[in-house]
Amino acid sequence: MSWGRHIAPGQDNRKLPEVQVVISPLHPTRNSPCLAVLQALEDGLKRADADPSVKAVTICGENGKFSAGADIRGFSSPNKQGLGLGPIVSLIERSEKPVVAAIEGIALGGGLEVTLGCHYRIAHVQARMGLPEVTIGLLPGAEGTQRLPRLIGVPAALDIITTGRHISASEALKLGLVDEVVEENTVEAAIRLANRLIGQPLGHRRLSLKPVPKLPNMEAFLTEALVKVKKRAQGCLAPELCFQAIKAATEQPFADGVRKERELFNILLTSGQAKALQYAFFAERAVEKWTTPSGASWKTASPQPIRKAAVIGLGTMGRGIVTSLVKAKIPVVALEQDLEYLNTGRKAVMLLLEREAMKMEQGGQTLDFNNPARLQFAVDFDVLRDVDLVIEAVFENMALKKEIFNKLSRICKPEAFLCTNTSALNIDEIASVTSRPQQVIGTHFFSPAHVMRLLEIIYGRHTSPTTIATAMQLAKVMKKVGVVVGNCFGFVGNRMMFPYVQQAVFLLEEGSRPEDVDQVLEDFGFKIGPFRMSDLAGLDVGWRSRKDQGLTGPTLAPGTSARQRHGYRYSPLPDLLCEKGRFGQKTGKGWYQYEKAGGRTAKPDPWIHSFLSEYRDTHQIKTRFIDQEEILERCLFTLINEGFDILAEGIASGPEHLDVVYINGYGWPKHRGGPMFYASTVGLPNILAKLQKYSEIHPDVPQLRPSAFLKKLVAMGNPPLNDWMSYLHRQSNKL
Ligand SMILES: CCCCCCCCCCCCC[C@H](O)CC(=O)SCCNC(=O)CCNC(=O)[C@H](O)C(C)(C)COP(=O)(O)OP(=O)(O)OC[C@H]1O[C@@H](n2cnc3c(N)ncnc32)[C@H](O)[C@@H]1OP(=O)(O)O
Ligand SMILES: NC(=O)c1ccc[n+]([C@@H]2O[C@H](COP(=O)([O-])OP(=O)(O)OC[C@H]3O[C@@H](n4cnc5c(N)ncnc54)[C@H](O)[C@@H]3O)[C@@H](O)[C@H]2O)c1
């Protein structure tokens, strides 16, 4: 048996072995000249085909990775790369010599499509595969939508292509996507297989020649599948076009299906949604490279290892945070204020973990949590002496948080990090009661904390770069997206949300109904509108905060106008609902009515409609019809306006940060790229003009007054989003 040797495409191979190993050239690097590497793959294949001493071919990747697919940056360059990958896949398939793919690491997108042209596929046990094009607003454009259904059937292909999920080698084997899974050297195993295949017929292995496996009820299946795909897509075009391409495979010969795939691919390639999703892909990676105005940076700061953590408070947030830590295999101590709360918290955590374990089992993984070395429950702070990091998640009350942090500062070892999950409180004030403010940081999780990907990481005046790096590392280990932001009331996410929710409530005062406002924002693509969201989170949460701020409740000065605070417009509507016990889902009534307390199905409530009408009569507000455009603009443009202030104040180091926060924590539709990206597509002059218009109509709403930074960018000629921050300190003589 002869052995192949790894040759890079384009290399001169005077002594070619019997099995030639061609390195798959699609693994992206920042500046990969994609067209050149495609050419190299083609050349390598042609050389192998033409050389009589080569009897078989193996295709593998470089450095243990098969391929991450096409270079995504290339899709927005004028010289669109990727063009011509389909014909190369066909070339592989047509080869008269057996071609075996050796899949190590990852085979994604165009990388997996290359393997579908191969006659056999061998994967390493730890390899992951997928066609994630849909997640960047595209579809597999190298004939993958036509070959995959032929290989693994329509239901499985539809699932993989329309979700873009990665699958493990063992799942790939079960589905028939790969022929063999190996634990040892994959390339060697592929070469062995290639040797065995020499001289054997290949016709039956050419996927383009195979029919798509029939289903007894294909038409009904596809009709039902389309409904599901559209529902999940929430306005995103790519999943539906992926569906259309697969449907074409079930109805048309291979060549016609490929033509359809190409046509649909071109529609997506030039769509705004693909640009937005590709922006979001890179934004998520850009925020990993954090910096602060004082010069701290990911480049120079090193994270400390977290071998054991603690969570204080096992309420809504604490239980999800414990679950995330256990899933990340970090031993946790979970602490409550007394045994009764502890037992309730323990039951809730165990339930979450059982559910997570079940989900993980389906993917062939296990979750070990019934081991006291991994998860311990306690009421005594003394157990915190040896932990490396504590996450506090007690009630949102400054006095209580300070009491806890003071205690932690005395009990925990000197090098331990102290994190607070506050939604809006001042990190510096919390840190001030400790003897280690440099190790205090905000770690703002989102509900449900074991599901939501966002972790807002808030540094205070004294927080050290090591502490920031450690929190970022923790986010990564918990498979969350950490976004480093500065300290201000509400940080980034909640601060931008306040004006959005405020406008939504003002719209009710003026004539809208909760379901009208929610519908407009859900049609825009939000998973859930502001009133459904408020009912879900509980109206009492905001009420407590407003009482603490003296905006409502017993501390309010007598004679304060019902609809004004500090000279600005205020709506008491949410307070009035809370006074009536309407806290949302938990009480069965809020902005909507529910079937019972704890019910989930929101139904418009006639009581709210007449309550709003009485309220308007009481305050002599003339009810008017408010159209969808005004609802959308007032809610979104105030949120965006706040974003510009946040950027100007240096609370976030770029618009990508705000967008990543909104996509991952607030249900902003990813195919719109985040609020700041959206603003760039609407055009800053348009946003400014609308804010000016609404601000003139509502002069008592400061949130409608255009941000100085927004005005400056417009005066500077509406530069592209990537350049915004460079204008922050430039002088403008047009203002
Ligand atoms: C006008 C004429 C058109 C006519 C067309 C007709 C013919 C059609 C032919 C088209 C051919 C289409 C081919 C194919 O179908 C399309 C594709 O392949 S699209 C790409 C699909 N692949 C992906 O979406 C993978 C994306 N990447 C990931 O999921 C992850 O990065 C990873 C690979 C799982 C690795 O994850 P991690 O280890 O966590 O690492 P990072 O994510 O941090 O990544 C490290 C670094 O790499 C950059 N990067 C990763 N993948 C890509 C990529 N595909 N392109 C560009 N850059 C990539 C990432 O940004 C990081 O960069 P850094 O931040 O370090 O600068
Ligand atoms: N609920 C959300 O959606 C959400 C989202 C992000 C952040 N937060 C923040 O997370 C924190 C917790 O919120 P929550 O919704 O989980 O509250 P919660 O009321 O559900 O839970 C708080 C828990 O803290 C416990 N606790 C109180 N005092 C304690 C003490 N001295 N020692 C130990 N445990 C104590 C309580 O017994 C309770 O179980 C708050 O700061 C909140 O602002 C909440």
Side-chain angles (χ1 to χ4, degrees):
M1 187 171 68
S2 66
W3 289 89
R5 62 192 170 96
H6 293 223
I7 56 159
Q11 198 175 312
D12 179 18
N13 300 288
R14 255 155 276 174
K15 285 178 77 190
L16 284 168
E18 239 175 54
V19 177
Q20 178 168 337
V21 181
V22 179
I23 304 210
S24 157
L26 293 175
H27 179 59
T29 53
R30 185 46 83 77
N31 301 309
S32 73
C34 242
L35 289 174
V37 286
L38 282 182
Q39 188 62 56
L41 178 59
E42 190 179 346
D43 291 348
L45 285 162
K46 284 186 174 161
R47 271 205 318 278
D49 226 24
D51 190 322
S53 69
V54 172
K55 303 280 189 257
V57 178
T58 287
I59 301 184
C60 66
E62 243 174 349
N63 306 324
K65 289 189 179 113
F66 190 83
S67 166
D71 184 341
I72 298 168
R73 287 186 201 276
F75 291 122
S76 48
S77 82
N79 182 13
K80 303 256 189 298
Q81 52 93 45
L83 184 67
L85 180 60
I88 294 175
V89 177
S90 282
L91 184 75
I92 297 171
E93 192 188 84
R94 281 200 307 274
S95 168
E96 290 302 330
K97 300 173 183 179
V99 185
V100 181
I103 306 171
E104 293 172 301
I106 43 167
L108 300 175
L112 189 65
E113 289 174 296
V114 165
T115 76
L116 293 175
C118 299
H119 305 118
Y120 289 83
R121 286 158 291 278
I122 291 191
H124 187 262
V125 67
Q126 274 164 358
R128 281 182 302 143
M129 282 148 267
L131 292 172
E133 287 87 342
V134 70
T135 63
I136 51 166
L138 299 175
L139 54 76
E143 307 178 357
T145 63
Q146 304 304 300
R147 281 199 179 81
L148 193 65
R150 286 175 161 79
L151 179 62
I152 63 172
V154 173
L158 202 58
D159 166 46
I160 289 175
I161 295 176
T162 60
T163 63
R165 72 185 177 90
H166 294 183
I167 62 168
S168 64
S170 63
E171 187 180 352
L173 186 64
K174 269 191 221 144
L175 290 173
L177 175 53
V178 297
D179 302 290
E180 205 180 321
V181 172
V182 294
E183 292 192 17
E184 84 274 25
N185 188 316
T186 318
V187 179
E188 285 175 9
I191 293 170
R192 277 199 299 277
L193 175 62
N195 262 306
R196 288 202 301 276
L197 294 169
I198 292 170
Q200 291 195 15
L202 294 171
H204 66 297
R205 303 296 301 186
R206 295 191 173 103
L207 293 176
S208 69
L209 305 181
K210 281 171 77 113
V212 172
K214 291 221 175 331
L215 285 179
N217 50 356
M218 185 67 91
E219 215 179 299
F221 170 82
L222 288 175
T223 308
E224 212 175 291
L226 178 60
V227 174
K228 282 192 202 148
V229 165
K230 275 179 132 174
K231 188 165 178 230
R232 221 178 26 222
Q234 289 182 304
C236 183
L237 195 59
E240 193 181 333
L241 266 55
C242 286
F243 170 90
Q244 299 297 355
I246 297 165
K247 185 163 178 269
T250 68
E251 293 169 344
Q252 298 174 17
F254 184 82
D256 293 345
V258 166
R259 266 191 287 280
K260 182 75 183 172
E261 178 191 274
R262 215 161 274 178
E263 181 193 310
L264 296 169
F265 184 88
N266 278 334
I267 294 174
L268 289 173
L269 189 65
T270 48
S271 73
Q273 291 195 359
K275 288 188 186 74
L277 286 161
Q278 288 161 28
Y279 161 83
F281 174 87
F282 289 112
E284 208 172 280
R285 279 141 187 95
V287 300
E288 282 180 27
K289 295 171 180 149
W290 59 271
T291 54
T292 69
S294 67
S297 142
W298 65 282
K299 279 192 198 145
T300 44
S302 310
Q304 292 299 304
I306 302 302
R307 295 188 191 89
K308 188 172 181 183
V311 176
I312 307 188
L314 299 179
T316 311
M317 296 307 290
R319 44 191 77 163
I321 299 171
V322 171
T323 304
S324 292
L325 288 164
V326 172
K327 280 184 73 182
K329 297 195 168 64
I330 297 176
V332 197
V333 184
L335 202 122
E336 255 295 348
Q337 56 177 319
D338 63 29
L339 282 174
E340 202 181 323
Y341 273 107
L342 186 74
N343 281 335
T344 312
R346 184 205 310 259
K347 275 191 207 135
V349 168
M350 294 316 254
L351 195 67
L352 285 181
L353 284 168
E354 274 155 23
R355 284 197 203 138
E356 289 302 301
M358 258 160 54
K359 275 192 234 157
M360 285 170 69
E361 257 167 45
Q362 284 163 8
Q365 294 167 286
T366 53
L367 181 64
D368 176 15
F369 56 93
N370 282 311
N371 173 350
R374 288 195 180 252
L375 176 58
Q376 187 188 344
F377 291 89
V379 287
D380 186 350
F381 272 65
D382 269 350
V383 293
L384 304 180
R385 287 189 189 284
D386 65 339
V387 299
D388 301 307
L389 177 140
V390 183
I391 302 173
E392 163 278 310
V394 303
F395 305 127
E396 184 79 339
N397 176 295
M398 182 54 93
L400 175 62
K401 300 225 186 238
K402 279 164 108 172
E403 183 192 318
I404 303 250
F405 271 74
N406 183 265
K407 212 164 166 182
L408 290 174
S409 174
R410 282 182 280 116
I411 291 173
C412 295
K413 61 185 181 190
E415 58 276 26
F417 299 97
L418 308 181
C419 313
T420 171
N421 183 46
T422 175
S423 311
L425 298 177
N426 189 338
I427 307 296
D428 290 330
E429 190 173 343
I430 296 173
S432 70
V433 297
T434 72
S435 56
R436 57 182 95 176
Q438 72 284 0
Q439 282 150 250
V440 176
I441 194 161
T443 47
H444 184 202
F445 290 78
F446 288 73
S447 180
H450 61 294
V451 176
M452 296 296 284
R453 290 186 74 219
L454 179 64
L455 183 63
E456 225 179 358
I457 292 175
I458 309 108
Y459 58 88
R461 195 178 310 138
H462 302 289
T463 308
S464 70
T466 305
T467 309
I468 302 176
T470 305
M472 280 297 275
Q473 178 65 21
L474 184 69
K476 200 171 183 138
V477 175
M478 288 194 288
K479 298 202 166 64
K480 296 200 182 288
V481 190
V483 184
V484 174
V485 301
N487 184 22
C488 62
F489 188 73
F491 317 128
V492 162
N494 285 342
R495 178 168 160 185
M496 286 169 76
M497 192 183 63
F498 294 142
Y500 162 85
V501 173
Q502 187 192 49
Q503 284 302 315
V505 177
F506 288 164
L507 289 163
L508 297 194
E509 288 191 329
E510 294 166 35
S512 297
R513 296 173 304 172
E515 52 273 28
D516 301 331
V517 177
D518 279 348
Q519 194 60 53
V520 169
L521 290 155
E522 285 164 19
D523 286 349
F524 176 78
F526 272 99
K527 291 200 173 67
I528 184 167
F531 293 108
R532 264 186 259 275
M533 181 177 75
S534 165
D535 274 0
L536 179 70
L539 273 76
D540 51 322
V541 179
W543 192 33
R544 214 175 300 133
S545 162
R546 288 190 298 279
K547 282 196 272 192
D548 287 348
Q549 293 172 63
L551 293 169
T552 188
T555 56
L556 194 61
T560 307
S561 147
R563 298 184 55 228
Q564 279 218 327
R565 296 291 181 273
H566 313 298
Y568 296 123
R569 180 170 171 187
Y570 177 84
S571 173
L573 280 174
D575 303 332
L576 294 173
L577 256 60
C578 288
E579 283 165 21
K580 292 182 191 307
R582 295 182 72 108
F583 291 168
Q585 288 189 3
K586 61 177 88 165
T587 55
K589 287 188 173 77
W591 299 106
Y592 292 89
Q593 56 177 323
Y594 297 85
E595 60 280 21
K596 56 176 191 279
R600 292 292 171 96
T601 317
K603 261 181 46 190
D605 191 346
W607 183 92
I608 283 281
H609 302 156
S610 48
F611 167 75
L612 287 174
S613 143
E614 279 166 34
Y615 174 88
R616 290 182 204 122
D617 289 346
T618 308
H619 296 285
Q620 290 157 1
I621 306 168
K622 199 164 168 290
T623 304
R624 65 184 179 93
F625 169 75
I626 303 174
D627 64 16
Q628 299 181 358
E629 188 177 288
E630 180 173 347
I631 294 176
L632 199 65
E633 289 173 350
R634 280 178 56 187
C635 292
L636 298 188
F637 292 1
T638 43
L639 179 153
I640 289 166
N641 197 37
E642 195 68 41
F644 281 109
D645 276 349
I646 287 174
L647 293 178
E649 289 168 30
I651 294 294
S653 38
E656 300 86 356
H657 290 62
L658 277 45
D659 287 335
V660 172
V661 164
Y662 257 78
I663 289 171
N664 293 288
Y666 294 83
W668 180 282
K670 201 171 184 175
H671 59 273
R672 292 192 190 267
M676 306 318 278
F677 181 87
Y678 175 68
S680 74
T681 63
V682 173
L684 304 191
N686 294 329
I687 307 242
L688 176 62
K690 287 297 171 85
L691 283 169
Q692 277 162 339
K693 174 184 127 182
Y694 293 123
S695 180
E696 273 165 31
I697 302 171
H698 306 278
D700 53 352
V701 182
Q703 290 79 2
L704 285 168
R705 286 180 209 154
S707 149
F709 186 36
L710 168 62
K711 285 201 254 180
K712 184 174 186 175
L713 288 172
V714 173
M716 294 293 211
N718 187 24
L721 177 139
N722 289 347
D723 294 345
W724 288 358
M725 297 313 279
S726 68
Y727 284 87
L728 202 52
H729 303 294
R730 282 195 215 175
Q731 295 298 322
S732 162
N733 51 14
K734 291 195 191 143
L735 279 171

